[in-house]
Every structure is written in structure tokens, then in C-alpha cells.
Amino acid sequence: MKLKNYQEKVLNTLKDYLSALNAFKAKYTNALEIDPDVARDYDFPKRAFSQATNRTIYHNKTNGLQEPLPDIYLKVPTGGGKTFLACHSIDLIQKSYLKKQTGPVLWIVPTTQIYRQTISALKNREHPYRQVLDISSGGRTLIKEKTELFNRLDVEENLVILLLMLPSANRQNKETLKVFRDAGGFTEFFPAEDNYPAQNELLKHIPNLDYFGEANEIFQRQIKTSLGNTLKVLRPLVIIDEGHRAYGQLARNTIRNFNPSFILELSATPPPNSNELVKITGRELHEEEMIKLDIHLTNKASLDWRDTMLAAFEKRNQLEKNAKDYEQNTGEYIRPICLIQVERTGRDQRGTDFIHAEDAKEFLIKKCGVPEKQIAIKSSEKDDIEGIDLFAKDCEIRYIITKQALQEGWDCSFAYILTILTNPQSATGITQLVGRILRQPNARKTQVKELDECYIYTYKPNAAALVGEIKNGLENEGLGDIAGRLVSDEAIGGVPNLKERDLTYRPGFKKFEGKIYLPKFVVQEKESWRDVIFEADILNGIDWNKIDLKEIANKTLSGTQTKEQELTLGLSKEEKELLLETGRLETRGTLEIDEAFLARQLSDIVPNPWIAFDLGRQALRLLAKKYDKEIIAANFVFIIEELKRILDKEKNRLAEEAFRNLLDQKKLFFFLLQDKGHHLIPTHIKVKSNRQLVRSDNSPVQKSLFDYVPDEDLNETEKAVAIYLDEQEQLLWWYRNRARKDFHIQGWQRNKIYPDFVAAKISKEKKDDYDTVYVLETKGVHLKENDDTRYKKSVFDLCNELGAKKTWKELFDEFPDKSFKFQVVFEDEWKEKINRIM
């Protein structure tokens, strides 16, 4: 297989690096002989990297013996032939740097899928990968799996490729993993068990070997004859495929502890702190005919997934005709495959509102006449493509149905069409599957336009969002420049390790521990109390017959017919933005009025499907008085969205009515409950933080209830409010209420209200106590008039109204003469409000 230009670029850069590495290692070796202490500071891999790349940033690596370790990355996008490059790289590193043709190579892969593909290719003497290795070794290549033994003669006379899946090398429990178990098959790599001097001498030279016993015991130390120890003795060249998957520190340490002589990593998306020797772009792949472009997006106007499936079926049939004509003219075989993403694949998940793999299969068989043998399902439970050569002429498979199973490592350049049948509102899926249809068959353009491009079918309504998702998918496949993005060579990221802290009250506030209660809405149940449950207490009390749908009748519908869109994404002339919309085709839509579909769309607002169906039918009848059926059908998506908005507003109105009725009927109360955790501010909390909140003069806050406030947990407005509270003379203490963990109020809408702050004002009578507790919710100015803010203000007003009627000391003595006030404060007025409070 002839190398592409960009592949030659990769290998030439590697040659330059290896040449520099040899020169600087020679100096390092000489320095070791003269002064080992000086040599330890001579990082020859870094010097070689700087000379080969003209970059100064390099992340130093060492092996298990703490020796300098060459560890570099080749950044090659999906479809760029990483495995082929790895084989050529083995040849270069073995001959140019390690000065040999034989010896061990540890080849690490991250997934079962990649493992199977790689081992199959390397064991096949006719495969280009194996042929490169055989040329390198002079025909003396052995491919070994973890369970297969090899001896010293094998290693001395052959190039031994040992394939290992990463989880096997991830040394979580070395006593149970086979790699580190004692195994008799590797005894000849170690001294005899009773040759204690030789055993100790080997441990002296390779101190990280695993062994039994201790030096002061009768049988002294016995080196384990394990595969792991054998690798440490042999010091292999290590190849890591999809290296970013091995970037956990545990896995990384395990690999380096094998004492490798060189680590070469290949990935489409190298992780932070990697030494990226060379980077190949998506544009270079396209210029070498490795990927299919343009990408055609067909956005179906129909709300029925079957219409989308039918369009993909027709496109695949057309592509197969093109492929057969192409085969007659050239003799090259292509069988276009359609990938179909569904919402469910589990055997017990069919029969719900979600599109199941069996639903798609049944549609293809019964409605499209596709033979069952042409359809495969790929999921965690069922794998119809296991062990099947999808490129073989006798393979029948033309459709592969999956949910998420076709991810990294699955390669089949016959995949031309991606059909997305997931929820139209879902933003997943495309990013996982887009790379699977990009590879060009035989890595060469056919010169048949339809066979050199790929296709996506969906019924997702937002074309702009769809293009955004595809760009994200390309970014994940290392095709960032196609997505219009640039990756800096010097980018260093990662999430810092946050220190876990166990926080308690400040010494001056210890007396309040377990005594700071806050009121909330509760329901009486026989002789006990419980928190309000929205579904059971509020939603269940709504009278859906009171829903007012008159507003829908006043909506103006468009007379324009719905259009289906087909977007074409291709190359632009701009270097920074490779992917660009280059064409658009619009056709008249095929929307129909589907009352059952309408009911399903309303189900997240109206839980009863029969009521939802009836409300949908009522709305359509109101519109039918003004508009004919064609106009209603053309505006069906608009009608659904407007009806959902109206119903949500009506549901909230009726929920508030039901909530207040429960209060009037003495079934719902605004109470303090001494035995309920969420009424009580906690006495200790755990946080992860490296940065403490400080005042404007850089001194730590002084009046927070707890002795430490994480700076990371607050936005800029919340920080400003917290610091301002902390500086108030009339304030005794304040607390940052944690969302989804601490005090909350369940009102008449589903989501609980978690206020931002709780603050206590100093008592007029006792300076070390408080008489008023303020519960504060902060809002940005831009949120001043939105529905959520109005709702929270209404709930807080109700809390203040009910709280004013209570004498809390009648409940128990912990709150004599204390009052509560609930307030929403906005970004442009919080200072004035706090001044008024204090």
C-alpha cells in the first residue's frame, strides 16, 4: 500500500526526531560514564524534540527505572491510517533508534473492537499492515496475544508483537491481573529460583521487578516469572493506539512501569500534556482522498420517523445502483451501508414511545421489502456483525441499527448514510456516529460524485443546531479544521485537583449548631408531617377540565407550505473554516395532522395521555373553524409549540389554584419541623475547593456561618452579594445555601426553589443572637421579568404572608421572637435592598 503524502510527512518528521534522539542519547550515554549525577539532568528526549519541532514546550517522561523516556504523539484524524503509520513507525524506531530488527513490541489498544480488528489484520500475512512488519523483520514476525507464551529465542530471532488491551494493563490489583501473575512459561527470562546471587543482581539492575518474600527471609526474594516482569526485563518498544484513552494516571504509570525503551502514541485527539510531534489536519486527509465530502443533510419536514427512514432507504438503493455501475467499469466492489441510530435497543424496552431497533428493522422488512439477512443490529445485548467481514462480496448486510455501539474503533468505509431516528430535540448521537461515514472506500475517490460524498437523514427541525452537532462530531474525530477550529500546539488543559474540606461552624456560632430551622410547606399525613410532593399533592389536584384553550384559536397561521431542506457541507476557500454550506435544496414538505403524535408531544406537560389527546383534538377543532386542513398541516410544528406553551401556562395557573386550595382546606401548612433535615441548616458540610472567598481587601470573609466559603461555587453577582453581606455591621452570620442539597421550598411548580443565601440580622436585645432570618434569591437584571422570576416572587410573597401570621415560639422554644423574610434581589438593586434590611 503506497504511503499518502501526509503519511510521508509524519514518517519524515519521525525520522528527523529519531536522528536527533540518537545524537543526544550518545551524549547522554557518555555523560553517564563520566558523571552519572550530571547525566541525570540531561534530558535527551526533550532536546531531540526541540530540535525536530522547533518547539520549546515538552513534557518530561521517565520509565519505571526513572530513566529519560522518549514518549511522543502522532496526531492523525479518524480515517488517516493510524495503524498503517504505527507499522511503519515500528520499522523506523527499531532500525534507526534501537538498532535492531527483532525484539518485543508491546501494542496497547483501548477497546475490544479495536483489539479484534488489529489482531485480525496483523495475523493476516496478506494484509498491508502485516506486510510492512514482515519487510521490517525480514519475514520473522510473531503476533502474540496476552494468553500466548513466547521464549527468549522467539524474542532474539523475531519481531514479537504482543497485543494487549488497556484494561489488562491497568494495574488496579496486581495480584489478580494475569499480566502480573507468576507464570511458568517465562522462567527462562529469569535466574533459577535457588540462584539467590543472580536473583539479587537482577533486582539490583531492575529494582521495579515484582517478587515474593523479603531479603531477610530464608528463601530471600524470589522474582515473579510473570509477563509483566518479562516486559520489564525486555524493555519493549510500546505502541499505544488511541493514546488519549490511556491518559488516566494509573494506566499511564502501569505502561511506563514496563520499562519501555520508547513510547509512540497515536490519536485523533491527544490529551493535555502530550508531546505532539506532528499534527495532520482534516484538509490534508481530504486532499489525499481519504474522506468523503461533501456531507449532505436532509432535514425531513415530516414528524413521523418512518418518512425519514424511507428517504434513507431510497438514497441507499440509488447509491447501490451507482456502485454496481462503478464495479462494472472498474472491477472495484462497493456495497453502500446505511447506519441507523435509534433510541432503544434493549429486549425489554420495546413498546414505549421511544423508537426501538426492532421497530426500525420491522419497518425495513415489512414496508420497504428489505430481506432480513441484509439488516444487522449492533448493541450491548445483540451483535449481528460480530466476526463478519463487511467488505466481503458475499456479505449481505446493508443496514446496521444501533444506539451507541458503533463508536471509536469501528471502521467500515462502505458506510455512506447516517439516519438519525433519536428524539428530534436530542443533541446526542450525531457527535458519536458522524466519523463512521467519513472514510472513503479504498482511500481513493471513485470520480462518481454520489460515491465520493456522504449523507445524513434526520427529522430534527433546527438545521443550524444540526450543523453545530456535526462540527462537534468532527472535532471529536480529530478533524477540527473541518469543523472550523484550530488546536494550539501549546494548549495545556485539565481540571485541577480540588482539595476536599470538611467544614464546621465558626467558633462564635457553635452554639447555633442544630438549632437553625427554616420554614417550608408541608402536608399533614395522619399524625405525621412530610414534604410536599409535586406529582402527588399538586399535579394530582389539577382540574384539567378548567384548561382554557381560547388563545390557540387566536393564533395566525402561515399560508406558506412547509419545506424540507437538504444542506450540502463542503470545502471552503478559507484556511480556518474548511466545512461550509455550499448548497441548499428545498422541497415541499409532507406534514400531516397526526393527533396521536400531538398527544405524545403534550405528554411532558399533561401526564394523562387520554387528557392530552383530548386537549390536542380540542385545539385542532378550534383552529379548523378558521383554517383548512392543508394550512393546519403545514403549521403543525408551530401549533404543537404554541399549544405546549399555552398548556404550560394554564397548568401553572391551575397548579397555583390547587396549591392555595390545599392551604385553605388546612391540608397544606407553612411550618417549621424540628425533625426534618431540609428545614435545618446542616452542622457540617464537605466541599472541594482550592480557593477561599475573600473580601475586596483580600482578607477572608468573617461572618459566614462556616469557617470556609469556596470561591468556585459562586458566580460574580453572588460573590458581590456575599462580600457585601459579610461587611454589614448589623449582620450576625450568613450562609451560602447549596442547590439540590440544602434548604428548599416546594411551590406549585415542579422544580424546587433553592434560595442563594440565608442571612441572620443581629438581635436588638442580644448582640450575640439574631431576631430575623432573611432568605435571599439573587437574579440578574436580564431575568427581572421572566416567568421563573415572577413565580419565585409569588412564592416568596406567599411565604411572607403566611409567616407574618405565625408566632414560631408556639411550636417550640428554639425560635423565641424570631421572624423570617423571603426576598428576591436583582443585580441592579441588591445593595439598596441589603442596606434597607440592615
Side-chain angles (χ1 to χ4, degrees):
M1 185 186 293
K2 185 179 178 182
L3 288 167
K4 302 287 186 179
N5 288 337
Y6 71 86
Q7 292 172 331
E8 290 183 350
K9 168 187 168 182
V10 170
L11 296 176
N12 286 334
T13 306
L14 179 59
K15 284 178 187 175
D16 292 342
Y17 173 69
L18 293 173
S19 175
L21 195 65
N22 276 321
F24 285 111
K25 187 181 180 183
K27 295 179 181 179
Y28 171 77
T29 303
N30 292 335
L32 274 178
E33 295 174 356
I34 298 170
D35 190 340
D37 292 331
V38 173
R40 289 192 189 96
D41 297 327
Y42 189 87
D43 192 343
F44 70 90
K46 178 180 180 179
R47 291 169 183 259
F49 185 86
S50 298
Q51 179 172 306
T53 64
N54 292 319
R55 296 200 300 270
T56 56
I57 293 180
Y58 180 86
H59 305 283
N60 304 59
K61 317 288 182 181
T62 57
N63 62 17
L65 302 176
Q66 301 308 306
E67 299 169 339
L69 172 64
D71 184 344
I72 59 168
Y73 253 94
L74 305 182
K75 184 182 186 299
V76 182
T78 293
K82 289 190 287 291
T83 308
F84 190 50
L85 281 170
C87 293
H88 277 281
S89 299
I90 289 172
D91 177 55
L92 285 176
I93 296 168
Q94 285 278 104
K95 293 176 180 175
S96 300
Y97 178 62
L98 301 179
K99 310 298 183 185
K100 58 184 181 179
Q101 284 183 279
T102 62
V105 175
L106 179 60
W107 192 313
I108 296 175
V109 297
T111 65
T112 303
Q113 181 71 43
I114 297 178
Y115 183 93
R116 289 171 180 166
Q117 287 184 180
T118 306
I119 198 73
S120 174
L122 295 183
K123 285 188 173 183
N124 179 6
R125 294 182 180 275
E126 303 301 317
H127 198 284
Y129 300 168
R130 176 60 182 268
Q131 290 173 350
V132 171
L133 296 176
D134 281 343
I135 291 171
S136 176
S137 66
R140 295 173 296 166
T141 307
L142 294 179
I143 309 299
K144 297 286 185 178
E145 299 188 60
K146 180 183 66 177
T147 54
E148 296 180 303
L149 298 175
F150 55 87
N151 56 41
R152 187 177 292 277
L153 191 62
D154 289 335
V155 174
E156 290 174 353
E157 295 188 351
N158 299 277
L159 177 64
V160 179
I161 309 291
L162 173 63
L163 207 64
L164 194 66
M165 200 165 75
L166 181 64
S168 300
N170 200 354
R171 193 174 179 179
Q172 296 177 349
N173 186 339
K174 68 180 182 181
E175 297 302 324
T176 58
L177 291 175
K178 292 181 180 178
V179 173
F180 300 98
R181 287 180 184 167
D182 199 30
F186 297 105
T187 52
E188 66 178 88
F189 290 95
F190 305 95
E193 290 184 1
D194 57 354
N195 189 347
Y196 302 129
Q199 291 257 340
N200 289 326
E201 186 66 20
L202 184 58
L203 281 168
K204 180 180 177 181
H205 285 92
I206 310 177
N208 67 333
L209 290 172
D210 295 314
Y211 55 83
F212 300 106
E214 294 298 335
N216 56 2
E217 295 179 356
I218 295 176
F219 295 104
Q220 300 189 30
R221 295 181 295 181
Q222 292 287 319
I223 298 172
K224 293 183 180 181
T225 58
S226 65
L227 173 58
N229 270 353
T230 303
L231 292 172
K232 293 175 185 178
V233 170
L234 295 174
R235 307 192 61 174
L237 160 62
V238 174
I239 303 294
I240 304 180
D241 194 3
E242 301 296 349
H244 66 284
R245 300 284 289 269
Y247 212 67
Q249 195 57 46
L250 191 64
R252 185 65 69 196
N253 290 340
T254 298
I255 294 169
R256 289 180 189 150
N257 203 42
F258 288 143
N259 301 338
S261 55
F262 193 107
I263 295 181
L264 178 71
E265 309 187 48
L266 301 99
S267 174
T269 52
N273 301 327
S274 58
N275 299 316
E276 191 178 293
L277 182 69
V278 62
K279 177 174 68 174
I280 300 303
T281 65
R283 183 178 290 274
E284 288 174 283
L285 259 66
H286 184 260
E287 289 171 353
E288 292 288 342
E289 303 186 350
M290 296 292 286
I291 55 178
K292 307 183 189 102
L293 281 180
D294 295 339
I295 302 172
H296 295 268
L297 287 77
T298 298
N299 204 14
K300 297 296 290 181
S302 172
L303 297 176
D304 191 335
W305 62 268
R306 296 167 187 83
D307 292 335
T308 304
M309 188 71 255
L310 184 61
F313 163 76
E314 291 171 347
K315 171 54 76 173
R316 203 217 64 81
N317 285 349
Q318 180 59 51
L319 289 176
E320 179 140 346
K321 291 178 182 177
N322 294 335
K324 287 180 177 178
D325 291 342
Y326 176 70
E327 185 180 9
Q328 287 180 354
N329 294 329
T330 65
E332 293 186 4
Y333 174 72
I334 296 175
R335 177 181 9 91
I337 292 174
C338 174
L339 307 183
I340 303 165
Q341 188 186 38
V342 294
E343 296 173 311
R344 295 289 186 270
T345 56
R347 67 167 61 96
D348 300 326
Q349 296 175 324
R350 197 177 183 191
T352 65
D353 288 336
F354 297 100
I355 303 168
H356 194 277
E358 294 294 341
D359 296 331
K361 182 176 179 179
E362 184 179 278
F363 175 80
L364 286 170
I365 294 171
K366 293 185 177 180
K367 301 296 183 182
C368 301
V370 177
E372 185 173 3
K373 61 185 178 182
Q374 294 185 4
I375 306 169
I377 293 177
K378 168 75 173 173
S379 70
S380 57
E381 295 181 0
K382 187 176 184 181
D383 190 352
D384 292 338
I385 59 175
E386 171 70 22
I388 292 178
D389 181 4
L390 294 171
F391 295 102
K393 285 192 174 185
D394 59 355
C395 176
E396 296 277 358
I397 293 174
R398 285 159 171 78
Y399 298 88
I400 300 175
I401 306 172
T402 187
K403 181 184 176 185
Q404 293 177 321
L406 295 180
Q407 296 183 13
E408 202 166 47
W410 188 87
D411 293 327
C412 181
S413 55
F414 284 179
Y416 271 83
I417 301 170
L418 174 58
T419 306
I420 306 294
L421 299 183
T422 51
N423 185 333
Q425 301 303 319
S426 170
T428 61
I430 289 180
T431 56
Q432 297 172 339
L433 290 173
V434 64
R436 309 287 74 83
I437 62 170
L438 284 175
R439 292 177 185 267
Q440 181 72 34
N442 303 313
R444 185 175 64 254
K445 294 291 186 182
T446 65
Q447 307 308 317
V448 178
K449 185 176 184 296
E450 292 81 358
L451 296 178
D452 292 337
E453 300 178 341
C454 55
Y455 309 86
I456 298 175
Y457 286 84
T458 182
Y459 63 122
K460 190 182 184 76
N462 190 329
L466 193 62
V467 173
E469 289 171 29
I470 290 175
K471 289 188 176 185
N472 288 337
L474 294 170
E475 185 77 21
N476 294 336
E477 299 292 343
L479 298 161
D481 58 323
I482 290 180
R485 300 180 184 178
L486 293 176
V487 179
S488 170
D489 288 340
E490 302 178 1
I492 300 175
V495 179
N497 294 321
L498 299 178
K499 182 178 179 182
E500 186 170 73
R501 304 171 185 271
D502 199 343
L503 308 183
T504 58
Y505 284 14
R506 292 182 183 274
F509 301 146
K510 292 284 187 184
K511 62 183 179 180
F512 299 131
E513 285 185 347
K515 297 179 180 179
I516 303 176
Y517 298 91
L518 295 166
K520 61 193 302 188
F521 292 102
V522 294
V523 172
Q524 186 172 13
E525 217 169 46
K526 296 182 180 179
E527 296 182 358
S528 64
W529 305 85
R530 63 166 172 79
D531 285 354
V532 176
I533 301 172
F534 175 77
E535 287 79 6
D537 300 317
I538 311 303
L539 194 61
N540 198 41
I542 290 178
D543 185 352
W544 296 98
N545 291 320
K546 293 184 178 180
I547 290 282
D548 185 355
L549 294 177
K550 291 178 184 176
E551 187 179 342
I552 195 72
N554 296 325
K555 296 297 174 183
T556 302
L557 303 185
S558 169
T560 305
Q561 293 292 324
T562 307
K563 294 181 179 179
E564 292 181 356
Q565 296 175 329
E566 179 182 329
L567 307 184
T568 302
L569 303 179
L571 291 172
S572 76
K573 296 180 180 179
E574 296 295 327
E575 186 69 28
K576 293 184 178 181
E577 184 78 25
L578 181 57
L579 196 66
L580 183 75
E581 181 179 327
T582 57
R584 179 183 291 257
L585 177 65
E586 295 184 342
T587 58
R588 181 171 175 174
T590 56
L591 277 178
E592 294 182 0
I593 300 172
D594 186 339
E595 293 185 355
F597 180 84
L598 174 58
R600 288 196 298 271
Q601 295 297 304
L602 302 181
S603 62
D604 56 342
I605 299 171
V606 184
N608 187 311
W610 303 109
I611 295 175
F613 185 86
D614 186 58
L615 290 171
R617 176 170 285 181
Q618 287 181 44
L620 292 174
R621 285 174 178 171
L622 286 171
L623 289 167
K625 294 178 181 180
K626 291 175 59 179
Y627 299 101
D628 59 31
K629 186 177 180 180
E630 288 72 22
I631 294 295
I632 294 174
N635 288 268
F636 199 41
V637 173
F638 170 76
I639 292 168
I640 291 172
E641 295 305 315
E642 287 300 303
L643 186 55
K644 286 171 70 174
R645 185 184 60 78
I646 293 167
L647 285 175
D648 191 52
K649 184 172 67 174
E650 282 294 289
K651 183 187 75 172
N652 291 337
R653 177 181 68 83
L654 294 173
E656 180 178 2
E657 183 180 295
F659 191 91
R660 292 182 181 272
N661 286 340
L662 289 173
L663 284 170
D664 294 340
Q665 296 165 11
K666 305 298 182 184
K667 294 180 180 178
L668 182 66
F669 300 86
F670 187 59
F671 264 6
L672 287 163
L673 292 186
Q674 193 170 6
D675 61 343
K676 289 289 181 181
H678 287 298
H679 287 257
L680 179 69
I681 289 184
T683 56
H684 74 276
I685 58 175
K686 287 187 176 181
V687 300
K688 288 187 176 181
S689 170
N690 289 338
R691 215 169 51 243
Q692 183 175 5
L693 181 68
V694 295
R695 292 180 170 186
S696 52
D697 62 359
N698 207 39
S699 62
V701 290
Q702 303 294 322
K703 297 187 177 184
S704 57
L705 189 60
F706 286 86
D707 51 12
Y708 184 98
V709 179
D711 180 273
E712 298 94 335
D713 286 354
L714 292 85
N715 62 36
E716 293 306 314
T717 300
E718 291 166 348
K719 286 180 189 178
V721 172
I723 293 168
Y724 199 73
L725 283 170
D726 201 75
E727 294 171 344
Q728 300 306 305
E729 291 184 5
Q730 294 302 313
L731 182 120
L732 182 64
W733 56 260
W734 62 273
Y735 175 63
R736 170 68 162 108
N737 192 59
R738 298 172 301 164
R740 293 180 293 281
K741 292 182 180 180
D742 292 339
F743 171 70
H744 63 260
I745 300 169
Q746 177 64 70
W748 51 84
Q749 293 187 15
R750 185 184 303 276
N751 293 333
K752 298 178 177 69
I753 299 173
Y754 288 87
D756 294 319
F757 297 99
V758 180
K761 187 177 179 180
I762 294 175
S763 170
K764 294 177 182 178
E765 299 177 0
K766 294 177 67 176
K767 296 301 181 183
D768 62 345
D769 203 351
Y770 58 96
D771 55 17
T772 306
V773 176
Y774 291 91
V775 179
L776 306 175
E777 169 76 4
T778 60
K779 287 286 185 184
V781 177
H782 61 291
L783 302 175
K784 209 167 190 176
E785 295 302 325
N786 75 359
D787 291 339
D788 180 67
T789 301
R790 282 193 289 268
Y791 165 64
K792 288 179 177 177
K793 286 180 69 176
S794 296
V795 174
F796 278 19
D797 288 343
L798 181 60
C799 292
N800 290 330
E801 177 189 337
L802 297 172
K805 299 176 183 178
K806 294 276 190 304
T807 303
W808 299 109
K809 64 183 179 181
E810 292 177 359
L811 295 174
F812 50 95
D813 293 332
E814 301 295 347
F815 271 89
D817 303 322
K818 288 181 171 58
S819 61
F820 299 90
K821 294 186 179 178
F822 294 76
Q823 292 203 13
V824 177
V825 295
F826 294 103
E827 190 177 9
D828 61 342
E829 63 184 29
W830 57 264
K831 280 189 179 181
E832 188 271 333
K833 280 209 173 185
I834 292 174
N835 291 341
R836 193 187 316 153
I837 288 170
M838 297 297 163

